[in-house]
């Protein structure tokens, strides 16, 4: 919400930004605190900003996270809420809610019992109310205080991208639509080059998460190569398998194998079952990555922190070498001496391999010996790329690859 972001930027309201996986798990474990390694040595750490995103929060708002002295982990404090506005597909006369046609189930059940358990009110918007028994009940009526029936699809969007519900977002019947006829958003230039290069890092049989921005377009490249069936793509919103969608449909998938709650997906990520993640790149310095707050914008950290810490074989930060500016033709550096906000500290990750992939180069970050190695340059001279980076890199055995726009 741009208006809400403006209030935060101008210090007019206090605001905290928790990692999405932490938030999801806090809903589930309330009223107990949550111990987690997620957020250590980042802006979520109370020794830095403690999840505060502006100065008024630091000076006046009560803390949401503490350092646990016994374990050295972060202790995220219990949340509270007074009201929940949620969405479902159908309700029956007892107030039971079905999510049968929703693109994701997110944390809807957890939010309902969390707010109800705190003495708050829970309201649902649904498409219809049925007099017969629902085929499936996802939220019991005892947790629901009110229902609003909105049968008009123009007011009941399944995603932010359009007004009409798309059956393929919940259907497992892949033969209902010819996949080869799918219409994808245009992918060209540097973004195609980056997505194609990133796709080369994925191995057959792996479980993969694709982040927002250029990484989400890797699904399109894999589809064009006929390799989607060789891997399992997932999103933190809860989709497993299928074809993850991009843009304002991000978080959904056509023909998913299943759709699970967000908290359950983060259980999987946190437990080490994620092989590879390709994540976006807002800012990067020698040891830290920022996607939550930069260039006057506040997109928030989302599931970025949990996912980067959870992947076991490869974490790759993927994006353009330069950021598009507010003025047409204007660009700004993504590689900086010090990031504005720390979303992930690379020293806390556990993946075997950490990479940065842009339209100009490929870098690898090493723990031991601690260094950043320039592996490839794309369509530029090695020294030109070195000069664009504000930190020292190892250029031994660097390969100059021809810049190609073909996937």
């Amino acid at each position: 919400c741009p208006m809400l972001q403006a209030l935060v930027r101008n210090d007019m309201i206090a605001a905290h930004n928790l990692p999405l996986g932490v938030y999801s798990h806090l809903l589930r474990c309330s009223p107990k605190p949550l111990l987690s390694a997620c957020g250590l040595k980042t802006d979520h750490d109370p020794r830095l900003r403690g999840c505060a995103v502006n100065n008024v929060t630091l000076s006046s708002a009560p803390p949401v996270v503490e350092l646990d002295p016994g374990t050295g982990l972060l202790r995220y404090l219990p949340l509270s809420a007074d009201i929940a506005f949620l969405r479902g597909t159908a309700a029956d006369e007892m107030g039971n809610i079905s999510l049968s046609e929703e693109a994701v189930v997110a944390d809807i059940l957890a939010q309902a019992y969390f707010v109800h358990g705190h003495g708050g009110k829970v309201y649902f918007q649904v498409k219809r109310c049925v007099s017969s028994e629902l085929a499936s009940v996802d939220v019991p009526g005892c947790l629901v205080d009110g229902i609003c029936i909105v049968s008009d699809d123009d007011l009941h969007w399944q995603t932010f991208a359009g007004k009409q519900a798309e059956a393929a977002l919940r259907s497992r019947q892949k033969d209902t639509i010819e996949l080869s006829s799918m219409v994808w958003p245009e992918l060209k230039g540097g973004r195609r080059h980056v997505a194609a290069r990133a796709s080369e890092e994925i191995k057959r049989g792996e479980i993969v998460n694709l982040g927002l921005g250029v990484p989400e377009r890797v699904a399109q490249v894999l589809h064009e190569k006929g390799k989607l069936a060789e891997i399992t793509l997932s999103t933190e919103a809860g989709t497993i398998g299928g074809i993850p969608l991009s843009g304002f449909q991000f978080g959904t998938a056509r023909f998913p194998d299943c759709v699970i709650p967000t908290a359950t997906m983060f259980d999987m990520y946190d437990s080490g079952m994620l092989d590879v993640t390709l994540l976006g790149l807002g800012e990067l310095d020698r040891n830290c990555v920022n996607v939550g707050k930069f260039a006057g914008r506040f997109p928030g950290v989302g599931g970025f922190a949990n996912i980067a810490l959870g992947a076991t074989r490869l974490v790759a930060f993927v994006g353009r070498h330069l950021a598009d500016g507010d003025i047409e033709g204007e660009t700004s550096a993504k590689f900086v001496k010090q990031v504005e906000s720390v979303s992930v500290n690379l020293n806390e990750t556990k993946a075997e391999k950490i990479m940065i992939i842009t339209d100009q180069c490929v870098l690898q970050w090493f723990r031991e010996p601690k260094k950043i190695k320039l592996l490839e340059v794309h369509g530029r001279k090695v020294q030109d790329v070195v000069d664009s980076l504000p930190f020292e890199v190892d250029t031994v055995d660097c390969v100059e690859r021809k810049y190609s726009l073909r996937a």
Side-chain angles (χ1 to χ4, degrees):
C1 174
M3 292 178 64
L4 188 60
Q5 287 197 26
L7 292 174
V8 173
R9 283 198 307 271
N10 295 324
D11 272 333
M12 298 179 70
I13 60 172
H16 292 97
N17 184 218
L18 278 67
L20 180 58
V22 169
Y23 169 78
S24 292
H25 289 152
L26 272 173
L27 291 177
R28 198 171 57 183
C29 72
S30 180
K32 299 178 181 179
L34 175 72
L35 289 179
S36 176
C38 183
L40 283 169
K41 299 180 183 178
T42 74
D43 278 9
H44 301 107
D45 195 314
R47 293 166 291 190
L48 295 177
R49 296 188 64 88
C51 299
V53 296
N54 58 14
N55 292 329
V56 71
T57 309
L58 280 172
S59 62
S60 62
V64 298
V65 59
E66 302 170 343
L67 186 68
D68 184 71
T71 63
L73 299 175
L74 299 185
R75 180 198 295 267
Y76 290 94
L77 304 180
L79 303 173
S80 63
D82 301 312
I83 194 166
F85 294 107
L86 304 171
R87 206 185 84 156
T89 302
D92 64 17
E93 294 174 339
M94 300 297 293
N96 298 310
I97 304 294
S98 170
L99 307 176
S100 60
E101 296 173 15
E102 303 308 299
V104 294
V105 298
D107 288 313
I108 290 177
L109 174 59
Q111 288 173 301
Y113 66 64
F114 172 79
V115 172
H116 185 84
H118 282 80
K121 300 293 184 181
V122 178
Y123 298 98
F124 270 88
Q125 173 180 315
V126 298
K127 292 182 69 173
R128 57 186 176 271
C129 187
V130 299
S131 56
S132 57
E133 183 177 336
L134 290 169
S136 64
V137 173
D138 298 288
V139 181
C142 61
L143 301 180
V144 180
D145 295 287
I147 295 170
C148 177
I149 302 171
V150 181
S151 57
D152 186 349
D153 279 342
D154 286 350
L155 301 174
H156 199 88
W157 294 13
Q158 201 169 21
T159 73
F160 290 112
K163 300 177 181 179
Q164 300 301 318
E166 185 180 338
L169 298 183
R170 286 301 296 267
S171 172
R172 296 181 62 197
Q173 304 301 316
K174 294 181 176 60
D175 58 350
T176 59
I177 294 179
E178 187 65 39
L179 293 183
S180 62
S181 68
M182 283 182 55
V183 178
W184 295 82
E186 187 177 29
L187 180 59
K188 62 181 182 179
R191 287 178 172 81
R192 170 169 286 277
H193 175 76
V194 177
R197 178 59 185 87
S199 72
E200 297 175 9
E201 295 297 323
I202 301 174
K203 298 179 180 180
R204 186 183 184 94
E206 290 188 312
I207 299 174
V208 180
N209 167 274
L210 299 179
L212 188 63
V214 176
E216 69 195 33
R217 308 304 292 274
V218 173
Q220 181 173 344
V221 173
L222 292 170
H223 170 71
E224 293 169 355
K225 291 181 175 181
K227 293 185 175 182
L228 267 181
E230 298 178 3
I231 62 172
T232 299
L233 294 177
S234 65
T235 68
E236 58 267 35
T239 64
I240 298 178
I243 306 172
L245 301 184
S246 61
F248 287 120
Q249 291 181 297
F250 180 75
T252 65
R254 286 194 177 101
F255 311 113
D257 294 331
C258 66
V259 180
I260 62 177
T262 300
T264 306
M265 182 62 79
F266 280 111
D267 286 337
M268 188 176 89
Y269 289 169
D270 291 349
S271 65
M273 294 180 66
L274 179 65
D275 298 305
V276 173
T277 183
L278 307 180
L279 295 168
L281 175 60
E283 288 183 329
L284 184 140
D285 62 26
R286 188 170 185 84
N287 292 298
C288 299
V289 184
N290 171 27
V291 295
K293 182 183 177 185
F294 55 90
R297 290 176 287 172
F298 173 54
V301 73
F304 188 89
N306 291 86
I307 297 166
L309 268 60
T312 56
R313 188 184 72 79
L314 171 67
V315 175
F317 301 100
V318 179
R320 299 292 299 274
H321 199 82
L322 297 173
D324 296 330
D326 295 330
I327 301 173
E328 186 175 354
E330 180 187 76
T331 59
S332 60
K334 288 193 172 186
F335 295 90
V336 296
K337 289 185 178 180
Q338 184 173 353
V339 295
E340 180 180 347
S341 175
V342 181
S343 302
V344 166
N345 188 311
L346 298 180
N347 294 291
E348 298 301 306
T349 59
K350 63 184 179 185
E352 298 170 8
K353 192 175 185 181
I354 307 292
M355 298 182 71
I356 302 101
I357 301 173
T358 79
D359 50 340
Q360 295 187 21
C361 67
V362 176
L363 299 150
Q364 185 172 350
W365 183 90
F366 290 87
R367 294 183 186 86
E368 295 294 339
K370 197 165 187 178
K371 65 178 180 178
I372 298 177
K373 186 173 178 61
L374 182 62
L375 302 179
E376 304 170 11
V377 295
H378 301 163
R380 298 192 67 187
K381 297 296 183 182
V382 171
Q383 191 59 49
D384 292 338
V385 173
V386 170
D387 291 343
S388 73
L389 302 173
F391 42 75
E392 184 179 347
V393 294
D394 181 350
T395 61
V396 176
D397 298 325
C398 179
V399 176
E400 292 188 6
R401 290 184 61 168
K402 183 179 179 180
Y403 191 97
S404 171
L405 303 184
R406 296 181 62 85

